[in-house]
Amino acid sequence: MELKASHYEVSEAIATITLSRPKRRNAWTGRMHAEYRSSLMEANGDRRVRVIVVTGDPEGGAFCAGADLAALEGHAEKGRYDSGVGEDIEKPGYGVDPSFDASFAYHFGLDKPVIAAINGAAAGVGLVLAAFADLRFAVQGAKFTTAHGRFNFPAEFGLSWVLPRIVGLTHAADLLLSSRVFTAEEALGMGFLNAVLPPDQLMAHVTAYARSLAASVSPGSVRETKHQIYRDLHRGAADAVVEAERLLEEMIRHPDYGEGVRAWMEKRAARWQG
């Protein structure tokens, strides 16, 4: 797919997706969503890629400022919601579990971890995107808002499901009911972020973390552990234990198990087969 609202590049096992509509503060459109899904599909199927990073074009001064205002005006004129995407949109992460087969929930079905490098404001759908990433790092002073309350919208794209599971019911109710603006520092205190960093250190920190993850953890372990995390949110403790035991029996037969043991004993980096 030709990319007009985003950029995609792969370097040293990291695929970086950059939301890029800098003149519109990287605001979300149907075109951007289609491109984002296409890039995720490519990264998930690329054996070179171990980690996916999503960030905003720094020229835009935001991670993603939410839905483009022109799109919001279009909804009002049409009297209905128009996602701006067609039936042929890519479906990365679909087919792993029915619970993941929906917009943004598809992140949970990806085989590879997604890190949000939040280099500026994240509002509305921008906050949704960050929430459905596996890990979140942000710059100091970045501003966040759910935003939907200002437009007579419901909580968008499952944010009412995912946000309480990240920050707890009390904080989630505050953020969802008020649509107020909160800062990266407050988000860190709530547990929404993994770390807050100076602007000139964000990408270096995220890149170092991603490289460490790619080098030190087997691809199979990352894939299955990620799926366990999100599947286990939908099932009881006993079912989670039984599934973990089943996976252990299955994965111990993979060559990467023996390679991991040898690498540990020989004090060297593992050479994963994936």
Side-chain angles (χ1 to χ4, degrees):
M1 181 178 192
E2 183 183 2
L3 302 183
K4 296 181 179 180
S6 62
H7 303 302
Y8 177 82
E9 63 177 339
V10 176
S11 177
E12 297 185 39
I14 303 168
T16 301
I17 302 171
T18 304
L19 310 178
S20 185
R21 299 183 69 234
K23 293 182 180 180
R24 304 291 289 177
R25 302 192 71 215
N26 303 324
W28 194 260
T29 62
R31 173 78 194 193
M32 182 180 281
H33 194 175
E35 290 184 15
Y36 181 66
R37 286 200 189 195
S38 179
S39 293
L40 285 181
M41 198 80 170
E42 183 171 346
N44 204 50
D46 188 340
R47 290 179 61 86
R48 300 173 300 162
V49 173
R50 299 286 178 83
V51 182
I52 302 167
V53 172
V54 57
T55 193
D57 188 327
E59 295 297 319
F63 173 70
C64 175
D68 190 275
L69 288 176
L72 295 177
E73 290 173 349
H75 300 329
E77 291 172 1
K78 296 174 184 176
R80 63 179 179 84
Y81 174 74
D82 181 359
S83 67
V85 300
E87 292 295 324
D88 59 344
I89 191 170
E90 296 280 12
K91 294 185 176 181
Y94 278 65
V96 172
D97 190 291
S99 299
F100 308 158
D101 292 352
S103 291
F104 296 99
Y106 54 68
H107 284 87
F108 299 160
L110 297 173
D111 294 340
K112 298 160 187 183
V114 177
I115 302 176
I118 306 166
N119 55 344
V125 68
L127 183 66
V128 171
L129 176 56
F132 278 98
D134 302 299
L135 299 154
R136 290 164 290 278
F137 299 89
V139 295
Q140 295 168 342
K143 294 182 179 180
F144 302 85
T145 176
T146 59
H148 65 277
R150 301 169 196 166
F151 306 106
N152 192 43
F153 280 174
E156 298 176 276
F157 298 112
L159 199 57
S160 56
W161 183 91
V162 71
L163 201 55
R165 285 165 170 77
I166 299 172
V167 302
L169 182 59
T170 301
H171 289 310
D174 166 27
L175 302 179
L176 290 167
L177 293 174
S178 70
S179 287
R180 69 178 179 83
V181 174
F182 59 105
T183 65
E185 288 74 16
E186 189 176 359
L188 180 65
M190 293 178 181
F192 184 72
L193 298 173
N194 294 91
V196 172
L197 300 141
D200 61 349
Q201 296 179 22
L202 175 68
M203 292 309 296
H205 181 89
V206 169
T207 299
Y209 186 100
R211 285 175 179 164
S212 176
L213 189 59
S216 63
V217 184
S218 80
S221 181
V222 168
R223 178 185 65 250
E224 296 302 337
T225 301
K226 172 169 175 166
H227 293 168
Q228 281 178 283
I229 289 170
Y230 299 113
R231 278 178 165 146
D232 287 352
L233 290 174
H234 297 82
R235 58 189 172 196
D239 290 334
V241 171
V242 169
E243 176 63 6
E245 291 175 333
R246 185 193 71 77
L247 285 168
L248 179 63
E249 289 296 327
E250 176 184 304
M251 294 172 69
I252 204 168
R253 296 192 292 271
H254 193 281
D256 276 350
Y257 167 70
E259 170 60 14
V261 172
R262 288 189 296 273
W264 179 264
M265 297 297 292
E266 296 168 10
K267 297 181 172 58
R268 60 169 174 80
R271 295 182 287 271
W272 307 118
Q273 293 186 26

